[in-house]
Amino acid sequence: MPREQVEPSVQHGSAGRDGWRVLVVESDPRAAGHLVQSLRRHGHEALWADTGGKALRAYRSADMVLLDLDLPDLDGLEVCREIRAAGDTPVIAVTARGTELDRVLGLQAGSDDYLVKPYGFLELIARMEAVMRRVRPRPAVARTITRGALHIEPGCREVSVAGRPVELTRKEFDLLHLLASQPDAVVPRAQIERQVWGNAEVSRSRTIDTHVNSLRNKLGAGTWIVTVRGVGFRFGHG
């Protein structure tokens, strides 16, 4: 049996420098254990959920979900729909359901790819890499961001307003940079949780709001961060 179950406790492996945090949703302990160990050997951090309910409580802290559609409590297609409705966490359906209709239903439910058991592990890794390239392309360089009087230097993590240096904590900088790099978009709380904190526990606290309030105080006059009630936040251009 794999040692990393989401509940009642989680023991995380150590992800490599370029590794991802992968949630394996699989009801078969033997299959899950083999996949978790294989992912570890390839430098990824893996955790395991054996039910749809556990998956829905844990996926926000993952970079990617490998989802079996045959689960003991919920249909995997419904789990996929809920994950997709809540955010952009990549999902690959890994399942024994192999008909053309099954594939169509899986993709329509929001999965980014669909792999039928039995499969080769190297093919799975290749599909994971392809999905991550599509959904989270890495910028070639960290570009300077200037929005009105606000100046952000990602390389040295420095911020100034009208030439005045602003001292920010690491999370404050990451949050501000995320919003300022998407000036015309509303960034959902789920995306902020995942990209800035990488922690599902943030959704049950006021951590984001506390950091937003601190940023507003430090940046000074102007509407730099706008709250979009019930959704998230957007950059307000000062």
Side-chain angles (χ1 to χ4, degrees), residues 65 67 69 76-93 102-114 131 134-135:
V65 178
L67 175 65
L69 300 183
L77 293 176
E78 183 57 34
V79 175
C80 186
R81 290 189 192 98
E82 292 199 30
I83 293 175
R84 181 57 60 243
D88 60 355
T89 303
V91 178
I92 297 180
D102 289 325
R103 295 172 187 266
V104 170
L105 291 174
L107 294 171
Q108 288 179 338
S111 65
D112 296 278
D113 202 349
Y114 196 101
V131 166
R134 288 200 306 270
V135 301

Side-chain angles (χ1 to χ4, degrees), residues 127-150:
R127 288 175 179 263
M128 291 170 64
E129 290 173 347
V131 166
M132 293 299 280
R133 283 196 301 270
R134 288 200 306 270
V135 301
R136 296 183 186 173
R138 294 184 177 181
V141 293
R143 295 181 298 176
T144 298
I145 297 175
T146 300
R147 309 291 186 212
L150 177 67

